[in-house]
Amino acid sequence: MKNLALTLSIALASTAFAAPMLASGGEAKQVTVRFADLNLANDAGVEALYSRIRGAAREACAGAEGRSAAQRSEWNACMSVAMDGAVASVNSAALSSKHLATMGGLSGSVAKTK
């Protein structure tokens, strides 16, 4: 079965909330996104997977969101790293294109695939 483990250990290590969370026994969150039921050769499948990845990233980054500018920046960084990593892991040109278009070209770490 195709699935994707969305691991945020890199995201958590690069954010201010990581130290207190990990120091108190917390662990980096890992969320699995299943997509064996999707056909990534069509737009509907790509849209569905992208939505699942975004939902998983929100779940994994929960706790980073807040009202202050610093908290919002931390949440945005967590989401970017999670989304970039998940999209790159799938290794789909269509999904990568969707991600780059959605992120407004701000996401530079997603490699385009053939």
Side-chain angles (χ1 to χ4, degrees):
M1 174 180 284
K2 295 179 190 174
N3 62 57
L4 165 69
L6 178 59
T7 306
L8 295 182
S9 56
I10 295 171
L12 292 175
S14 68
T15 60
F17 67 89
M21 181 180 168
L22 295 176
S24 65
E27 294 181 12
K29 293 183 181 180
Q30 185 177 39
V31 179
T32 300
V33 177
R34 294 188 185 351
F35 58 97
D37 60 319
L38 300 176
N39 179 357
L40 298 184
N42 66 46
D43 290 340
V46 170
E47 290 289 335
L49 178 54
Y50 196 74
S51 179
R52 290 177 191 181
I53 290 172
R54 186 176 27 247
R58 284 185 180 134
E59 181 182 337
C61 292
E65 71 275 15
R67 296 188 184 263
S68 75
Q71 290 170 321
R72 188 69 181 162
S73 178
E74 293 297 329
W75 187 81
N76 286 336
C78 182
M79 287 293 293
S80 291
V81 170
M83 295 287 297
D84 288 353
V87 169
S89 294
V90 175
N91 196 27
S92 162
L95 185 65
S96 293
S97 293
K98 165 70 178 167
H99 182 55
L100 291 172
T102 301
M103 300 299 288
L106 298 176
S107 177
S109 64
V110 177
K112 290 185 179 179
T113 57
K114 294 180 182 178

